[in-house]
């Protein structure tokens, strides 16, 4: 990557910082008013997260796995909402810019900021996620994981144990 920047610096006689700011400014204007801005936004919000998710799968730590799982849930939810509200999102010129900034912000969250933990806590308060694991570190995965699945569907699919079916 350094060789590309060096080549561009020699050809244009501009510093790489100025070129990067110019490209960023063009991208912001394009996301706000350009044709195909939805595609550009989704491309930005897709390429790096796929790479980072693949790396997170291979790593033993669980924070990155949770972080990217939350990212993909939010990304898919936005995509689903856009599908049903296409005319609405097309009429807002700054929607794609806002979506892109929001998704980049989600990409940059780490353990110190606690953003992902706040999102998990919020989803748990809405009962969209099962409660946290027990104090001893273990969790009744089948009992908690399928708590939101209706009883008849859970038993039909053979998910969970007998205590999960009684919930």
């Amino acid at each position: 990557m350094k060789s590309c920047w060096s080549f561009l610096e020699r050809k244009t006689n501009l510093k790489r910082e100025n070129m990067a700011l110019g490209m960023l400014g063009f991208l912001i204007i394009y996301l706000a008013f350009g044709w195909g801005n939805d595609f550009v936004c989704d491309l930005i919000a897709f390429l790096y997260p796929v790479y980072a998710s693949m790396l997170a799968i291979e790593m033993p730590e669980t924070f990155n796995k949770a972080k990217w799982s939350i990212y993909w849930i939010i990304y898919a939810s936005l995509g689903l909402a856009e599908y049903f509200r296409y005319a609405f999102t097309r009429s807002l010129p700054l929607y794609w810019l806002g979506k892109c900034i929001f998704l980049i912000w989600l990409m940059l969250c780490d353990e110190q900021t606690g953003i992902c933990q706040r999102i998990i806590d919020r989803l748990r308060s809405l009962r969209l996620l099962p409660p946290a694991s027990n104090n001893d570190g273990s969790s009744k995965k089948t009992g908690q994981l399928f708590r939101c699945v209706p009883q008849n569907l859970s038993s039909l699919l053979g998910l969970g144990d007998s205590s999960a079916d009684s919930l």
Side-chain angles (χ1 to χ4, degrees):
M1 191 70 177
K2 286 185 178 182
S3 63
C4 292
W5 283 112
S6 299
F7 175 76
L8 288 173
E9 280 180 322
R10 281 193 311 260
K11 290 294 182 181
T12 61
N13 293 328
L14 294 172
K15 291 183 180 180
R16 64 182 71 184
E17 293 86 10
N18 294 340
M19 286 187 282
L21 286 174
M23 288 182 213
L24 181 64
F26 175 77
L27 183 65
I28 288 171
I29 292 170
Y30 190 82
L31 282 171
F33 306 108
W35 179 81
N37 51 4
D38 52 345
F39 174 75
V40 174
C41 176
D42 286 338
L43 188 67
I44 292 169
F46 186 77
L47 290 180
Y48 175 72
V50 165
Y51 173 73
S53 297
M54 292 298 172
L55 288 179
I57 289 170
E58 296 174 358
M59 298 174 94
E61 65 182 66
T62 58
F63 175 76
N64 278 333
K65 292 176 186 175
K67 170 188 169 178
W68 290 112
S69 296
I70 290 169
Y71 177 86
W72 289 114
I73 289 168
I74 292 172
Y75 180 79
S77 300
L78 287 172
L80 186 64
E82 290 162 8
Y83 178 76
F84 290 112
R85 304 283 183 171
Y86 184 75
F88 180 69
T89 58
R90 295 303 302 166
S91 65
L92 295 173
L94 299 177
Y95 173 77
W96 299 106
L97 176 62
K99 176 186 173 183
C100 192
I101 290 170
F102 173 69
L103 290 174
I104 290 172
W105 177 69
L106 280 178
M107 287 181 220
L108 298 177
C109 82
D110 57 0
E111 287 182 277
Q112 285 77 27
T113 57
I115 296 166
C116 290
Q117 189 59 44
R118 286 186 214 143
I119 293 171
I120 290 171
D121 292 342
R122 180 68 181 147
L123 290 174
R124 282 194 176 122
S125 70
L126 295 172
R127 297 183 185 257
L128 296 174
L129 285 180
S133 63
N134 298 335
N135 291 337
D136 61 355
S138 66
S139 64
K140 298 177 186 175
K141 290 188 178 185
T142 57
Q144 289 183 358
L145 185 60
F146 300 110
R147 173 175 257 151
C148 299
V149 178
Q151 291 178 2
N152 54 0
L153 181 62
S154 179
S155 61
L156 178 68
L157 296 175
L159 303 174
D161 56 3
S162 59
S163 65
D165 291 336
S166 64
L167 295 174

